[in-house]
Amino acid sequence: MTDQAAPALAPRDWSADPADVLLADGAVAVIRPLRADDRDAVLALHESVSVDTLRLRFFSPSRDAGRLYVDHLFAPDNTASAALVALVRGRVAGIATAELLSPDSAEVAFLVADEDRGRGLGSLLLEHLAALGRRHGVSRFVAEVLGDNYGMLGVFRAAGFGATRRTVAGEVDVELRTDASREAVEAADRREWRAAARSLRPLLHPTSVAVVGVRRSAGGFGHGVLEAIRSSPYAGTLHVVHPEADVLDGLPTVRRLADLDDPVDLVVVAVPADGVADVLRDAAANGAGAALVISSGFSGTGHDERRHELLGLARAHSLRLVGPNSQGVLANGDGLDATLLHDVPAVGGLAVASQSGGMGFALLDLARDVGLGVQAFVSLGDKLDVSSNDLLAAWMEDQSVAACALYLESFGNALKFARTARRFAELKPLLAVVGGRSRARQDPSAASTVGVGVDALLDQSGVIACRTGAELTETALLLVEQPLPAGLRVCIVSNTGGVGALTTDRADGQGMVVAPTSYDLGAALRTAVPGAVDVRNPVDLGADVTPDELTAALRAVLDAGEADAVLVMLVANRLTDRDALFAAVAEARPAGADVPLLLVTPGAAFEAARGLPGVTVYRSTDAAIGALGRAMRYAAWRRVPADQPEVELGTRGVHARTWARARLAARHGEPEWLAPSAHGELLAPYGIHLVGRLASGPDEAEAVAADIGYPVAVKVADPTVLHKSDRGLVRIDLRTGSDVADAVRSFAGELGRDRVDVLVQPLVLGHLASVGLVRDPQLGPLVRVASGAGPVGSWAEEVLLLPPVEAADAARAVRALRLWPQLVGDHGLEEVDLAPLEALVVSVGRLAVDVPHVADLTLEPVVVNAHGLYCVDVKLRIAEPSELDTGIPRRLRS
């Protein structure tokens, strides 16, 4: 506990931007630095708390202790105290302070108003104080806490900042790191998700709705939404607000929301853009919980002030806002349709969020067409406040939601989305269609909208990426209706051989395994269907198979344990009763309850087969195989353990990061392309080595070449020299010492230098790959893995990964490359050991995390052969890292 001035330390500017934050109960607060005009409010906070609260904070029940500390905080010469305040509806509800003890350590203390305890203010203040400390080089916090201050001790314990404790004479000395560790981020995320879910309850499960902006005459958005609500089976309270009319469409009205006796959960706003702010003020006066703004006119340039006004009103009154330019909200499970949708799908397990209202409606129409039930739909519109991250948090623990579908064109906080999506996908399927890719490719300035790393973001987060809305709904149908496949094995059962053969080809293209049936299963199928044409996989039961035979055959397949999914292909004919065959498929369902069962029947027969219990029905083979392939890949992702232990920075990371910082500091922050002689400082600790040796001048180069052994390659080692190959500054297949010496002299002449440093390398042949780091504006560094095709430097295919990269991620990336079949010995090529290439990918990912100063890294080519892995060329640039939103401290989007 520090109640006096800190020792003389360099003055610091503790300024920071205000942050809107969600409290544990879903209300919105503001955290910002202490200001000079806060004195009266901070003193009032200290005067308002109980004597016991004062005792816990100052180890004394005296109010003088609080008054003296306030004097200390506001002393004109106090620059060693960092202080943040938390404001709830404009009132100072909490304060956090950090008193510098040394340049890298500070003692922290917290005080929260008695009425606001239990709302998560302490945790939020700690997160923001730690971030402020990190920005000023403070890596360690200490605190002295009374042993019975269970609330504060709980905050420290749950924060995830790596706290250590020591108890002495009833006092607990706490020490914690300020770095945003994985544990700290995960703890903050869990609190954020719970708070977001609570804050969105008035939006997603409203017990009362008010519509503002209904015209006297029919027509318009307000009238359309009102009609939708009245036509739906919504059992909650419905209000209509109109400034003049007493009755609209037979419903009584009120002049203002503030005239209502009770707060409204959801306010639907459909007034002209100029009037939206006034409606939000009225909603705030009513105490409403959420606003759905249908009104448009806030997008594009020139409307920033309008958008800022709306967001400010919503945040100041804890009003969650959807839109503007939203097409509505569907709470299907609660019977509420507050959308402009023409036909509402049946109630089911899919939740849908769409950045585009039109695309959202298209997804709902597609869902209805395939028989997929929908639980909820939110048209996000301009995403001024509520985003897909908030909705995922709310739907994550909602037992009525079995899967979620997203249509996105941008990621407000891509890293937060990655973490939230991954947690969601670990619990239930998450599917997405991402638009705007072509715009990003055509306009580099728009690249941050979807980013070059969108595929990496989706893949590693477990999101099932779909190209079209049809793919999404077809896949979601399978995932909602069927268990997850346990593997990649599929058994194809049909009543015509040609269809089975074509389906096998498509299944193979999706990476599925269509393995022959075992002897026992084949015998069981022969017994079930004596006239079967072929009991191998694909199974052809014959055009005249009877319903009873089909049921018996499918039960045999489902119970055999040889398939992770069963796909039935039935073509209707006059030899059997079509509807009876369909019913026979459903009759087999009690068998193999943990194995997905799919039925494909084209043409008019599809409508007759829809709705079979326990069976997912598709109109086409491509739809069924595509959906099953995506479901299998998702299930495989789910089977990989998610809880990976955090890798600490460690000695190598500390050395590499310290070296990079010092190098940049010596250049006053100017970026630098490193020479090969400096590469080892950053790369060698991670097991990354450039093949060959450096030499200065022709004589030394000749000696190094003789030591390495001929033939060799020689290249200029200066990273500032560009287009080396075009200028003749790279020579390969040199076989004598004189060849090497002549090449080095030629390099010196080309560069106009007396002496030149060169890299002498053995001539290495093998498979070509490329590994490196690229930068995404929102995601930061991405590990790039590519395979070579044709000449060196021409890369045919690439995979991007979000660091840190786990071994399983690296293995999947290597196997996704076009190079993969060559590495494993296809086409008569020599098989090579993949472990070194996978380890290199992991190492580059670890380097990206440990040393954010690595701005660019290209290892190209990387030669892989039976003898090992060789990095032939390295390009490495260091620069001051840009600050990315790591998710901690928590804050709402501004």
Side-chain angles (χ1 to χ4, degrees):
M1 181 185 65
T2 299
D3 293 331
Q4 66 277 349
L9 292 166
R12 305 197 186 189
D13 177 10
W14 298 106
S15 61
D17 293 331
D20 295 326
V21 296
L22 272 180
L23 302 182
D25 58 7
V28 179
V30 178
I31 292 179
R32 62 163 173 79
L34 185 71
R35 301 192 307 228
D37 59 358
D38 289 326
R39 182 186 180 92
D40 290 344
V42 172
L43 182 60
L45 170 65
H46 284 77
E47 295 289 337
S48 70
V49 298
S50 69
V51 170
D52 193 55
T53 298
L54 283 173
R55 178 185 67 82
L56 294 174
R57 165 61 182 90
F58 294 103
F59 292 29
S60 167
S62 170
R63 294 201 178 275
D64 287 340
R67 294 165 189 157
L68 288 171
Y69 190 66
V70 172
D71 289 341
H72 161 69
L73 281 178
F74 288 92
D77 60 347
N78 182 8
T79 60
S81 298
L84 299 174
V85 291
L87 286 76
V88 177
R89 293 185 178 268
R91 170 180 56 85
V92 173
I95 184 169
T97 59
E99 304 282 355
L100 282 178
L101 302 176
S102 70
D104 65 351
S105 67
E107 183 174 5
V108 295
F110 302 82
L111 182 68
V112 174
D114 292 341
E115 63 188 283
D116 294 297
R117 295 178 72 176
R119 305 182 75 185
L121 275 173
S123 297
L124 284 161
L125 284 166
L126 175 57
E127 291 174 21
H128 284 260
L129 195 62
L132 188 61
R134 286 196 300 272
R135 286 199 293 273
H136 290 276
V138 177
S139 60
R140 185 171 58 93
F141 280 167
V142 298
E144 295 178 8
V145 187
L146 285 176
D148 61 342
N149 192 347
Y150 305 116
M152 200 66 248
L153 291 172
V155 167
F156 287 136
R157 183 173 56 251
F161 283 115
T164 59
R165 298 168 32 154
R166 184 171 62 92
T167 303
V168 180
E171 297 178 10
V172 182
D173 293 332
V174 179
E175 181 175 324
L176 62 157
R177 303 190 311 270
T178 64
D179 57 294
S181 65
R182 181 183 298 184
E183 184 181 6
V185 172
E186 288 177 351
D189 280 342
R190 287 192 295 270
R191 292 189 285 266
E192 177 94 341
W193 295 332
R194 289 193 296 267
R198 292 189 181 102
S199 75
L200 293 187
R201 188 161 187 81
L203 170 73
L204 300 177
H205 301 285
T207 59
S208 57
V209 179
V211 183
V212 186
V214 181
R215 299 177 184 172
R216 289 177 183 268
S217 58
F221 290 104
H223 197 278
V225 173
L226 179 61
E227 275 299 305
I229 296 173
R230 296 186 70 186
S231 301
S232 67
Y234 179 60
T237 304
L238 176 61
H239 303 285
V240 181
V241 179
H242 196 281
E244 299 172 353
D246 295 324
V247 177
L248 278 176
D249 289 350
L251 294 173
T253 67
V254 294
R255 295 289 187 266
R256 300 180 309 153
L257 287 163
D259 294 338
L260 294 171
D261 294 332
D262 297 312
V264 175
D265 276 347
L266 177 61
V267 178
V268 181
V269 185
V271 301
D274 290 341
V276 172
D278 288 336
V279 175
L280 292 188
R281 291 187 185 94
D282 191 22
N286 167 264
L292 169 63
V293 181
I294 307 293
S295 315
S296 59
F298 297 88
S299 303
T301 58
H303 296 289
D304 289 347
E305 187 174 340
R306 270 183 168 180
R307 289 194 295 268
H308 183 73
E309 181 184 22
L310 296 191
L311 186 59
L313 283 167
R315 296 280 170 81
H317 298 89
S318 297
L319 185 72
R320 298 310 307 265
L321 187 151
V322 173
N325 197 27
S326 170
Q327 297 295 298
V329 169
L330 176 68
N332 222 13
D334 297 325
L336 174 65
D337 175 18
T339 73
L340 302 172
L341 188 66
H342 190 274
D343 297 303
V344 177
V347 178
L350 183 69
V352 181
S354 177
Q355 197 169 335
S356 160
M359 187 63 190
F361 285 177
L363 288 175
L364 296 183
D365 285 340
L366 288 166
R368 192 184 63 255
D369 288 346
V370 299
L372 175 60
V374 173
Q375 180 66 211
F377 164 71
V378 177
S379 168
L380 291 166
D382 293 343
K383 294 202 305 184
L384 193 61
D385 176 31
V386 175
S387 69
S388 56
N389 288 338
D390 297 310
L391 293 171
L392 289 176
W395 288 329
M396 197 179 291
E397 302 294 342
D398 189 335
Q399 297 304 309
S400 64
V401 173
C404 178
L406 303 175
Y407 173 75
L408 300 171
E409 294 177 351
S410 64
F411 299 92
N413 184 332
L415 292 175
K416 182 177 180 180
F417 174 83
R419 297 192 309 275
T420 306
R422 184 178 186 99
R423 178 56 184 158
F424 190 101
E426 288 169 355
L427 299 172
K428 53 187 83 171
L430 175 58
L431 306 96
V433 174
V434 179
R437 294 172 184 258
S438 60
R439 183 170 66 251
R441 285 194 296 269
Q442 295 164 8
D443 179 8
S445 67
S448 62
T449 303
V450 294
V452 298
V454 63
D455 292 323
L457 183 152
L458 298 179
D459 289 346
Q460 283 182 264
S461 301
V463 180
I464 304 167
C466 303
R467 296 171 299 175
T468 65
E471 281 189 359
L472 186 150
T473 51
E474 290 159 359
T475 308
L477 179 68
L478 178 65
L479 291 165
V480 167
E481 292 188 347
Q482 298 291 329
L484 286 178
L488 300 176
R489 301 171 303 167
V490 61
C491 183
I492 299 168
V493 180
S494 72
N495 63 347
T496 172
V499 169
L502 289 173
T503 304
T504 299
D505 293 340
R506 286 170 171 77
D508 183 67
Q510 287 281 343
M512 300 178 196
V513 178
V514 186
T517 56
S518 67
Y519 175 83
D520 290 343
L521 178 55
L525 289 171
R526 284 289 183 198
T527 300
V529 189
V533 176
D534 193 344
V535 295
R536 297 171 297 176
N537 192 12
V539 177
D540 180 4
L541 298 179
D544 59 349
V545 62
T546 68
D548 288 342
E549 289 174 336
L550 178 58
T551 297
L554 290 177
R555 284 178 175 170
V557 172
L558 289 165
D559 284 337
E562 297 183 18
D564 301 307
V566 177
L567 180 58
V568 183
M569 317 287 299
L570 293 180
V571 178
N573 58 53
R574 294 185 178 275
L575 299 177
T576 56
D577 184 332
R578 180 195 68 183
D579 294 346
L581 283 180
F582 294 158
V585 177
E587 284 290 323
R589 177 67 275 187
D594 58 345
V595 177
L597 179 59
L598 292 74
L599 170 63
V600 176
T601 183
F606 171 76
E607 293 298 331
R610 287 178 60 169
L612 288 173
V615 184
T616 299
V617 183
Y618 290 97
R619 192 189 301 273
S620 72
T621 301
D622 285 344
I625 288 292
L628 184 57
R630 286 183 283 276
M632 284 180 164
R633 289 189 289 275
Y634 168 66
W637 179 87
R638 281 270 294 262
R639 288 192 293 271
V640 176
D643 296 327
Q644 301 288 349
E646 180 167 8
V647 179
E648 298 293 341
L649 187 59
T651 303
R652 68 176 183 180
V654 170
H655 166 81
R657 185 180 293 185
T658 302
W659 185 89
R661 281 176 177 166
R663 184 91 173 193
L664 287 167
R667 295 171 57 87
H668 305 289
E670 183 183 351
E672 178 186 8
W673 285 101
L674 295 181
S677 57
H679 290 166
E681 295 289 347
L682 291 181
L683 301 183
Y686 296 87
I688 304 171
H689 302 278
L690 181 64
V691 66
R693 286 160 48 188
L694 291 170
S696 181
D699 294 339
E700 187 175 339
E702 185 176 352
V704 169
D707 191 40
I708 289 176
Y710 295 101
V712 297
V714 179
K715 66 184 72 171
V716 169
D718 186 345
T720 64
V721 176
L722 304 179
H723 312 297
K724 295 184 179 71
S725 296
D726 295 340
R727 297 176 62 181
L729 301 177
V730 178
R731 300 286 179 87
I732 63 172
D733 200 22
L734 303 180
R735 296 180 174 273
T736 67
S738 59
D739 289 343
V740 171
D742 289 345
V744 176
R745 293 188 189 97
S746 171
F747 295 165
E750 170 65 22
L751 296 174
R753 302 177 185 176
D754 293 333
R755 196 173 189 84
V756 64
D757 292 337
V758 296
L759 180 64
V760 184
Q761 299 176 303
L763 197 61
V764 183
L765 301 177
H767 305 288
L768 302 182
S770 174
V771 180
L773 292 174
V774 296
R775 290 274 164 176
D776 181 271
Q778 291 180 304
L779 297 175
L782 296 170
V783 178
R784 173 182 175 270
V785 192
S787 56
V792 172
S794 175
W795 307 106
E797 185 184 82
E798 69 177 16
V799 176
L800 297 174
L801 299 167
L802 284 168
V805 178
E806 305 294 346
D809 295 328
R812 280 192 291 264
V814 171
R815 283 155 180 76
L817 298 175
R818 188 187 300 180
L819 181 65
W820 161 251
Q822 302 174 36
L823 297 176
V824 295
D826 281 9
H827 310 297
L829 298 172
E830 184 179 18
E831 184 175 358
V832 302
D833 184 6
L834 299 175
L837 181 57
E838 293 169 3
L840 177 63
V841 175
V842 172
S843 293
V844 171
R846 192 65 241 170
L847 174 66
V849 173
D850 289 352
V851 191
H853 310 78
V854 176
D856 293 282
L857 173 65
T858 302
L859 309 175
E860 180 183 300
V862 173
V863 178
V864 186
N865 60 31
H867 303 289
L869 177 145
Y870 306 89
C871 295
V872 175
D873 197 23
V874 176
K875 295 181 179 66
L876 175 58
R877 184 172 70 95
I878 58 173
E880 292 293 345
S882 57
E883 189 171 340
L884 293 171
D885 188 346
T886 61
I888 186 169
R890 289 170 282 159
R891 62 187 302 151
L892 291 168
R893 292 189 309 143
S894 57

